[in-house]
Amino acid sequence: MAERPGEHGAPEVSVVIPTYNRARELDRTLRSLAHQDLPRDRYEVIVADDGSSDDTRLVVESHAGNLRIGYVYQEDLGFRAGQARNLGAARAEGRILVFLDSGMLASRHLLSGHLAAHEGGGRAVIGYIFGYDHDPANRVSHDDLGEPPDELIDRFTLSGRHRDMREPCYRSLGDDIDRYAAPWIFYWTGNVSVGAADFHLAGGFDDDFVGWSGEDVELGRRLYEKGLKFTLARGAACVEIPHTRDLAALRPSYEKHAALLLRKHMDPVVEVSTVCWAHELHPRLAELRAASRNRIRLARLRPSGRRVDPGPATALFGADCLYAVNGGDLCVEPVPGLAQEARRNHPGIEVLPLHGFRTMLEPGTFDLCLLAPSLRAYPRWAVELLESEAARIGRRVRWLPAAETVPSEER
């Protein structure tokens, strides 16, 4: 039988691995954890079985001679990875909890890297995952897996291939992810850690998340609200064993959990971040920023023609609508500077920020949504998001015509 974690005194680090019918991949993960540069009496491994029907328990027991290992099981009631992690964390005795997916090949320095990153306390640490990407072309091939994890990581580091899909964001932040507006959005439990006391104080993973995605970043958000500093630990690296991931099939679960995250944390930063990740837009935000400069220039042109009477219950998208329309019930504007300008010049109408091209409004709130022609300066994907949101909150949607304009300062 697997060893009980408390038999040889409390370890410093507890590795919690949720799994479901992945006995073969789990075996490889456990083999890699048996070769850490951290002495074995300083860490334990808890496998949290989400109701497997394969040889998962036998695999765990086969590693009892190489690892300080424990096993917990919950009934198969659907995808409940967060609840499985909670079960494992309740059994764990380490002061640092490392959450690692089954199917990850750990570098020798993974656990020592996590432990070092927690010096000073109050940290939520994100390890690095080579080969983790939604693009199959960036995933590691099975042909690579004959090499030890550290040799793979050295080769991938030199070649620049198979980088973690979050790498462009990390690089743009100079690895100082805590200065990002939403560092918790990077907190993916394929490879992360947190102090056990901080984890339990935050309440662990939320049981409302049943299905793929969301439970990890939602925990990250609560850790952020409690003041933890988010730290990237590149040395705490692993390699993901390739496996099929049907993103189209998983999309409904993602969207459901994104909405659940918003209901639990009604905050503009949560909104813009979830929308960006839902549409895989973070790598394209530089494109959006460049387009925004042109958008601001166009929005500050003033229509020279007759103003439109919008009729009852109308929402305006884009502050420049206010110079082309008589009235309107509400105006939403994605650029803060333009929103502030509109509030000064049109005190009689409420102007709200449009975070992430989404509003907090209910479907069908308005009879009509009018969109400013300057919004077409955005990339096509952003325009589609705006049109989609207008169609969600309005029964009818219409673009205002791109009328002949003159700069406001020349009027």
Side-chain angles (χ1 to χ4, degrees):
M1 276 296 297
E3 176 183 321
R4 292 188 61 81
E7 289 181 355
H8 302 296
E12 289 184 83
V13 179
S14 295
V15 186
V16 178
I17 304 175
T19 192
Y20 177 74
N21 285 343
R22 299 191 72 196
R24 182 179 178 184
E25 291 85 355
L26 175 65
D27 180 61
R28 300 187 71 165
T29 299
L30 296 177
R31 287 179 188 276
S32 69
L33 287 170
H35 294 92
Q36 294 295 292
D37 61 6
L38 199 66
R40 289 185 187 175
D41 63 348
R42 295 180 64 187
Y43 69 98
E44 66 176 353
V45 178
I46 308 293
V47 175
D49 192 343
D50 191 18
S52 297
S53 58
D54 63 1
D55 294 332
T56 291
R57 182 161 190 158
L58 293 175
V59 165
V60 174
E61 292 174 350
S62 74
H63 285 273
N66 301 318
L67 286 168
R68 183 175 181 173
I69 194 165
Y71 174 82
V72 291
Y73 177 90
Q74 67 182 14
E75 185 182 358
D76 182 6
L77 298 177
F79 192 116
R80 297 189 296 146
Q83 294 89 326
R85 293 189 191 98
N86 285 340
L87 194 63
R91 170 78 176 268
E93 296 188 347
R95 66 178 180 86
I96 302 298
L97 299 176
V98 173
F99 294 103
L100 193 69
D101 278 354
S102 56
M104 297 295 181
L105 303 179
S107 74
R108 293 180 62 250
H109 315 293
L110 185 138
L111 297 185
S112 60
H114 274 290
L115 192 59
H118 281 278
E119 290 182 9
R123 303 295 178 104
V125 176
I126 299 170
Y128 201 87
I129 308 176
F130 283 90
Y132 188 83
D133 203 315
H134 292 168
D135 181 359
N138 194 41
R139 295 179 199 159
V140 179
S141 73
H142 285 282
D143 293 339
D144 287 317
L145 298 183
E147 297 179 56
D150 289 276
E151 292 183 19
L152 284 175
I153 289 169
D154 288 345
R155 179 154 58 86
F156 296 157
T157 300
L158 287 172
S159 68
R161 298 181 62 227
H162 306 304
R163 290 287 192 177
D164 190 312
M165 66 182 292
R166 295 164 288 187
E167 176 67 26
C169 298
Y170 294 159
R171 193 182 301 119
S172 70
L173 295 165
D175 285 3
D176 184 8
I177 59 176
D178 201 58
R179 68 185 177 91
Y180 190 56
W184 46 268
I185 205 74
F186 303 124
Y187 200 72
W188 303 351
T189 39
N191 179 13
V192 298
S193 62
V194 65
D198 291 321
F199 174 82
H200 294 299
L201 186 63
F205 292 93
D206 191 323
D207 288 349
D208 290 343
F209 288 81
V210 176
W212 182 76
S213 87
E215 80 286 347
D216 44 9
V217 296
E218 195 279 332
L219 171 63
R221 172 68 189 193
R222 281 183 281 121
L223 296 175
Y224 177 79
E225 290 172 351
K226 291 189 177 298
L228 269 68
K229 178 180 175 61
F230 282 72
T231 300
L232 172 63
R234 287 185 179 270
C238 62
V239 178
E240 185 187 45
I241 297 173
H243 65 283
T244 57
R245 184 181 289 117
D246 187 344
L247 292 176
L250 295 171
R251 171 72 64 178
S253 179
Y254 180 96
E255 292 178 347
K256 179 183 74 171
H257 287 165
L260 180 59
L261 177 66
L262 281 171
R263 286 200 299 274
K264 291 177 178 289
H265 306 277
M266 291 292 282
D267 178 271
V269 174
V270 177
E271 183 185 13
V272 70
S273 300
T274 53
V275 168
C276 283
W277 281 115
H279 296 274
E280 298 177 7
L281 303 182
H282 274 277
R284 302 163 72 181
L285 289 182
E287 177 189 3
L288 179 61
R289 284 194 294 270
S292 293
R293 289 193 289 270
N294 192 42
R295 156 86 214 294
I296 291 169
R297 182 185 65 80
L298 291 174
R300 285 180 171 151
L301 298 176
R302 302 293 184 249
S304 59
R306 184 171 59 86
R307 293 163 70 92
V308 175
D309 185 354
T314 299
L316 309 177
F317 278 64
D320 40 323
C321 282
L322 295 169
Y323 301 96
V325 172
N326 288 316
D329 297 275
L330 177 74
C331 177
V332 291
E333 169 55 58
V335 178
L338 292 177
Q340 292 169 4
E341 184 180 315
R343 290 190 195 102
R344 288 195 302 269
N345 295 335
H346 302 272
I349 188 167
E350 186 174 13
V351 182
L352 297 178
L354 187 62
H355 300 289
F357 301 134
R358 293 276 295 185
T359 71
M360 300 283 190
L361 300 166
E362 294 296 322
T365 300
F366 297 95
D367 291 327
L368 174 66
C369 288
L370 294 175
L371 290 93
S374 67
L375 296 171
R376 294 191 187 276
Y378 287 130
R380 185 62 214 166
W381 54 263
V383 174
E384 288 173 356
L385 284 177
L386 287 163
E387 290 176 323
S388 174
E389 180 61 9
R392 188 183 71 82
I393 68 170
R395 297 180 183 87
R396 293 179 295 128
V397 176
R398 181 157 62 88
W399 283 90
L400 287 171
E404 187 176 328
T405 59
V406 295
S408 57
E409 59 268 25
E410 295 179 9
R411 286 177 60 86

